[in-house]
């Protein structure tokens, strides 16, 4: 199953605070981070896109302003994050630079993955970073996130990022090496599950309850993360980061629990487009474009003859032929007003007409689902 990691095109690696920050001294565990960076560079060397989701800002920051180990008030929490995040980003930047790579800090808030417009912007930025060979290092923007509007934990954040970027593998590095049938600390019969193919109530029960001794390792949020990631077509793995070179160990078959996705990220995305989204409008296409779509091409502005309805950028629209028959559905890269202005034109004219350089395609083929038959 380790081929799921070595063979993935795009991998999200989530790193928990307990791995990065020494619990006693509150200091960054630098040698561990150096070793992790080696693993990540090796993955990049194989041509894989790697995105890091890292916790640790609050754990580092609270030590730097001597906030002690007790419960923090919201504003103390946010202050600790503001201080710790600088140190965290600096550490990543240094270890990556020492290996010839550029790190990029990206701080997300809940709305960045839940609101279509912000989602598209965040996705665009991350795609641009990856295209240029940078390694995004993502955390929640804890200094502005209040309890009502936060992911709350980076397991869920990492799963949202995985789905947003169409990643095919999500690795949660944690202080446990996977999901056990019972609490391993207290039950000698507890067994590690190597693979979970379906998240049943029984599996949920194994994760324990939030706040229980067994659940305090965060297994509940990991199962929620698995549901999101697997639903978006990524295999997810929970593995121990307690050792140096944890990704290398995982590639070589270390203990872990895999949550298996049944579809690819593109297939999962297409199912979501075809089945879940309500179309807000339609684009009429000429016969040439209709033929191009059937042969797997994207929909370009040049082949569109009409724009119907009111829709925003990233909204779902129907694609219809000149007789009004639905050919498919997809996510439109322009809002209806801009779409109206560029239809019938060559993609290279878009910038001149709109005053900005958008996508060449009105609907990219990865965002397009054709009606079968
Ligand atoms: N965003 C928090 C931090 O950087 C961590 C959240 C989590 O551990 O899941 O400290």
């Amino acid at each position: 199953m380790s081929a799921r990691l070595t063979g993935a095109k795009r991998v999200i690696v989530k790193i928990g605070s307990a791995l990065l920050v020494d619990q006693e001294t509150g200091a960054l565990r630098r040698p561990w981070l150096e070793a992790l960076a080696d693993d990540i560079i090796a993955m990049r060397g194989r041509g894989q896109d790697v995105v890091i989701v890292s916790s640790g800002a609050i754990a580092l920051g609270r030590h730097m302003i001597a906030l002690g180990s007790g419960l923090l008030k919201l504003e103390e929490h946010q202050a600790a994050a503001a201080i710790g995040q600088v140190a965290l980003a600096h550490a990543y930047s240094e270890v990556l630079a020492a290996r010839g790579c550029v790190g990029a800090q990206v701080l997300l808030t809940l709305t960045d993955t839940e609101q279509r417009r912000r989602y598209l912007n965040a996705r665009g930025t991350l795609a641009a970073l990856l295209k240029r060979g940078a390694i995004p290092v993502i955390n929640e923007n804890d200094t502005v996130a209040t309890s009502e509007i936060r992911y709350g934990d980076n397991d869920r954040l990492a799963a949202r990022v995985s789905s947003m970027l169409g990643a095919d593998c999500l690795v949660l590095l944690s202080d446990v090496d996977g999901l056990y049938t019972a609490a391993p600390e207290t039950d000698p019969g507890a067994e590690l599950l190597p693979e979970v193919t379906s998240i049943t109530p029984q599996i949920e029960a194994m994760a324990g309850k939030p706040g229980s001794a067994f659940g305090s390792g965060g297994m509940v949020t990991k199962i929620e993360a698995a549901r999101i990631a697997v639903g978006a077509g990524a295999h997810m793995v929970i593995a121990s980061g307690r050792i140096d070179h944890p990704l290398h160990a995982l590639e070589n078959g270390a203990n872990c629990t895999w949550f298996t996705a049944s579809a690819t990220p593109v297939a999962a995305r297409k199912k979501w487009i075809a089945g879940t989204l309500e179309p807000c409008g339609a684009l009429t296409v000429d016969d040439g474009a209709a033929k191009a779509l059937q042969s797997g091409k994207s929909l370009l502005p040049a082949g569109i003859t009409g724009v119907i309805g009111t829709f925003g950028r990233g909204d779902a629209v129907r694609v219809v032929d000149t007789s009004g028959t639905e050919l498919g559905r997809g996510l439109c890269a322009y809002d209806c007003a801009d779409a109206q202005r560029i239809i019938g034109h060559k993609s290279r004219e878009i910038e001149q007409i709109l005053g900005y350089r958008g996508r060449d395609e009105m609907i990219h083929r990865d965002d397009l689902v054709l009606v079968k038959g």
Side-chain angles (χ1 to χ4, degrees), residues 220-270:
V220 173
T221 63
K222 287 179 178 51
I223 303 288
E224 278 178 38
R227 206 185 287 286
I228 298 166
V230 164
H235 298 302
M236 188 190 100
V237 62
I238 301 173
S240 172
R242 286 247 167 259
I243 44 168
D244 282 352
H245 297 288
L247 295 170
H248 184 69
L250 195 53
E251 287 166 11
N252 289 297
N255 269 354
C256 64
T257 301
W258 280 100
F259 291 78
T260 305
S262 53
T264 63
V266 172
R269 186 169 164 77
K270 292 202 170 197

Side-chain angles (χ1 to χ4, degrees), residues 14-17 54-60 77 81 85 88 139-140 142 150 152-155 157:
K14 184 260 172 177
I15 296 147
S17 302
S54 182
S55 306
I58 296 167
L60 279 176
H77 197 90
Q85 183 60 37
L88 188 65
N139 197 357
E140 179 157 19
D142 292 304
R150 62 195 305 262
D153 64 84
N154 279 3
D155 294 327
L157 169 60

Side-chain angles (χ1 to χ4, degrees), residues 25-316:
T25 62
L28 185 83
R29 296 178 62 227
R30 182 83 181 206
W32 184 85
L33 183 59
E34 302 267 358
L36 180 85
D38 286 340
D39 289 0
I40 288 173
I41 299 301
M43 292 168 73
R44 287 291 309 272
R46 286 200 297 262
Q48 298 179 285
D49 282 344
V50 184
V51 174
I52 300 170
V53 174
S54 182
S55 306
I58 296 167
L60 279 176
R62 66 186 300 156
H63 167 71
M64 292 164 78
I65 46 170
L67 279 171
S69 58
L71 267 184
L72 298 183
K73 287 197 238 143
L74 177 65
E75 61 272 24
E76 288 172 336
H77 197 90
Q78 293 178 318
I83 291 163
Q85 183 60 37
V86 182
L88 188 65
H90 188 65
Y92 275 104
S93 175
E94 274 184 356
V95 298
L96 293 173
R99 290 160 181 79
C101 257
V102 177
Q105 172 184 264
V106 179
L107 299 179
L108 295 178
T109 49
L110 189 62
T111 45
D112 290 321
T113 53
E114 313 308 295
Q115 270 178 19
R116 187 71 54 78
R117 205 188 158 79
R118 296 184 64 123
Y119 168 98
L120 290 171
N121 287 339
R123 192 172 66 148
T125 307
L126 287 163
L129 287 169
L130 290 170
K131 197 169 154 199
R132 281 154 190 82
I135 299 188
V137 181
I138 301 178
N139 197 357
E140 179 157 19
N141 194 350
D142 292 304
T143 51
V144 296
T146 56
S147 53
E148 316 82 67
I149 52 147
R150 62 195 305 262
Y151 298 98
D153 64 84
N154 279 3
D155 294 327
R156 226 177 323 218
L157 169 60
R160 291 280 180 221
V161 167
S162 171
S163 140
M164 177 164 78
L165 295 180
D168 31 17
C169 184
L170 167 62
V171 182
L172 300 184
L173 290 179
S174 147
D175 49 0
V176 287
D177 56 1
L179 178 66
Y180 282 79
T181 52
E185 313 83 43
T186 52
D187 189 335
E191 280 175 36
L192 178 77
L193 292 174
E195 186 180 18
V196 174
T197 49
S198 158
I199 303 168
T200 58
Q202 201 191 358
I203 293 293
E204 281 172 342
M206 287 175 195
K209 292 191 180 56
S212 71
F214 187 29
S216 65
M219 201 47 81
V220 173
T221 63
K222 287 179 178 51
I223 303 288
E224 278 178 38
R227 206 185 287 286
I228 298 166
V230 164
H235 298 302
M236 188 190 100
V237 62
I238 301 173
S240 172
R242 286 247 167 259
I243 44 168
D244 282 352
H245 297 288
L247 295 170
H248 184 69
L250 195 53
E251 287 166 11
N252 289 297
N255 269 354
C256 64
T257 301
W258 280 100
F259 291 78
T260 305
S262 53
T264 63
V266 172
R269 186 169 164 77
K270 292 202 170 197
K271 192 169 154 209
W272 171 68
I273 293 169
T276 319
L277 297 175
E278 194 51 46
C280 307
L283 301 171
T284 311
V285 302
D286 64 20
D287 293 348
K291 231 183 246 144
L293 297 184
Q294 299 302 341
S295 68
K297 299 255 165 45
S298 296
L299 177 60
L300 301 177
I304 302 172
T305 56
V307 176
I308 304 161
T310 306
F311 52 87
R313 186 163 79 90
D315 277 343

